Amino acid sequence: MEDRIKALATEVEAFTASDKQGVEQYRLKYISKKGIISELFEEMKRMPPEEKKQVGKILNELKQAAEQKLKALTEMLESSSSSSVDIDLTLPPIPNKIGNQHPLTLTRNRIIEIFERLGFNVADGPEIEDDWHNFSALNFPENHPAREMQDTFFVEKNPDMLLRTHTSNVQIRLMTKQKPPLRAIMPGRVYRNEAISARAHCFFHQVEGLYVDRNVGFADLKQTLYHFAKEMYGKDIKIRFRPSFFPFTEPSAEIDISCLICKGDGCNVCKHTGWVEIAGSGMVHPNVLKNCGIDPEEFTGFAFGMGIERVTMLRYQVNDLRLYSENDIRFLKQFHTVI
Ligand code: DAH
């Protein structure tokens, strides 16, 4: 009997199982009520008492070892099956959410793209500007009411410095630095001392455009902006030029496009006119060219300044300017590039 128990102990120790059935077979064979070990216990009961003691001891040891083996086999199976969970490595990964671009950035990039194809470069200039670049060089006379068209934030310690009220300052910086021919667009942030509402904000964004060369005429301005409007809003868009006044252009025009929100029927955004203003424009005033050291007899140019918020508003049908700067994720995550 003792020899049989020892042989069984080696057998149990050497037992291996690679799957559930193997482990179950092991349990049935050795540990279950009808298994070999139980049978041996039965046999042992019929033995003389003096042998029982010795056999009982090694039989109990065998039982414990067999139970431990069962535990080890089950654990091994569980850990190996958890590492071989069904993973389909050919599936595309779940994309990380990394946010998306701000609607104003999307529009600015689209504007740049359209003008770059027409040969315009991108330029920029400072947001904290001096009076000369923001006003005087642009033909705003000293103490002229035209300066009051734009409510300016001045720097308290130096009233000659201000937060630029438009991107037209970059025109001046460009024309004093480079000789014509010049063709550039200048996107950037501008500031005005205005009460914040759905239609006005104390900061917003513009894109300035400038084209100076020999023989640049108003027809070039019109054609360029027609092209822009069709690229941005599709070929059915209507565009019109309205006579206007800016100190730095002569003649000047405001540019309206047909309202995309009500399709011309009249709504709040177009103030029931069916038209929305998106830009100011005109032929660069000879004084401005002179201020920058360019001979107006030799060169002419056109310029325009477009509101990026306004363009975006019509592009995505947003009707409140404040949404752009409130950082509300529910608003911001709705925008994707549209081409
Ligand atoms: N600077 C003007 C504004 O902020 C917009 C503008 C109008 C820019 C006419 C121009 C232009 O370059 O030619 O209201």
Side-chain angles (χ1 to χ4, degrees), residues 7 15 26 30 36 50 62 132 151 159 201 213 242 276 295 314 325-327 329:
F15 193 94
Y26 170 87
Y30 298 102
I36 301 177
E50 59 283 10
L62 171 67
W132 170 256
D151 301 300
H201 211 292
D213 201 351
R242 244 179 325 107
V276 190
D295 180 3
L314 295 166
S325 49
E326 278 170 353
N327 275 340
I329 199 85

Side-chain angles (χ1 to χ4, degrees), residues 265-334:
D265 293 343
C267 68
N268 287 346
V269 173
C270 63
K271 295 192 206 138
H272 301 280
T273 61
W275 294 94
V276 190
E277 183 199 323
I278 55 159
S281 68
M283 299 306 295
V284 181
H285 197 292
N287 289 349
V288 175
L289 294 172
K290 268 190 240 157
N291 286 337
C292 300
I294 295 173
D295 180 3
E297 298 296 327
E298 188 180 356
F299 293 103
T300 50
F302 71 69
F304 60 86
M306 193 147 44
I308 302 185
E309 274 79 357
R310 194 55 77 78
V311 176
T312 311
M313 203 163 178
L314 295 166
R315 191 178 188 212
Y316 296 120
Q317 333 261 292
V318 176
N319 58 8
D320 190 333
L321 270 183
R322 291 167 293 196
L323 290 166
Y324 293 126
S325 49
E326 278 170 353
N327 275 340
D328 186 333
I329 199 85
R330 290 166 303 176
F331 171 72
L332 295 173
K333 73 179 180 196
Q334 301 175 62

Side-chain angles (χ1 to χ4, degrees), residues 26 76 122 144 151 205 215 286 323:
Y26 170 87
M76 213 168 70
V122 180
H144 190 279
D151 301 300
H205 301 79
N215 304 318
L323 290 166

Side-chain angles (χ1 to χ4, degrees), residues 28-143:
L28 288 173
K29 183 168 177 194
Y30 298 102
I31 296 174
S32 71
K33 285 219 176 84
K34 289 180 186 155
I36 301 177
I37 295 175
S38 297
E39 270 172 23
L40 288 173
F41 271 106
E42 287 303 314
E43 249 180 72
M44 183 192 75
K45 281 183 196 158
R46 295 188 295 270
M47 286 174 113
E50 59 283 10
E51 272 177 55
K52 236 188 210 173
K53 200 174 165 206
Q54 172 61 12
V55 172
K57 188 169 168 273
I58 50 170
L59 196 54
N60 265 322
E61 277 167 10
L62 171 67
K63 191 184 172 202
Q64 270 172 22
E67 276 167 358
Q68 225 142 49
K69 178 79 183 193
L70 176 69
K71 218 170 128 196
L73 286 174
T74 328
E75 274 169 14
M76 213 168 70
L77 204 69
E78 270 168 15
S79 71
S80 72
S81 70
S82 69
S83 67
S84 66
V85 190
D86 280 347
I87 300 175
D88 185 350
L89 293 173
T90 62
L91 282 176
I94 298 164
N96 282 342
K97 290 214 172 76
I98 53 165
N100 47 287
Q101 286 182 311
H102 193 281
L104 294 177
T105 310
L106 291 171
T107 304
R108 186 197 58 197
N109 291 348
R110 178 75 185 124
I111 296 174
I112 291 175
E113 206 173 85
I114 296 170
F115 281 103
E116 272 183 340
R117 285 204 207 134
L118 294 176
F120 283 72
N121 291 323
V122 180
D124 65 3
E127 289 181 22
I128 304 173
E129 189 52 288
D130 54 37
D131 179 276
W132 170 256
H133 290 92
N134 195 80
F135 288 126
S136 300
L138 285 159
N139 203 33
F140 283 81
E142 206 73 40
N143 300 321

Side-chain angles (χ1 to χ4, degrees), residues 150 166 168 171 192 206 208 246 248-249 280-282 303-305:
Q150 304 177 346
H166 50 189
S168 305
Q171 280 191 34
R192 293 199 195 164
Q206 291 186 333
E208 193 79 10
F246 299 102
F248 37 90
T249 44
S281 68
F304 60 86

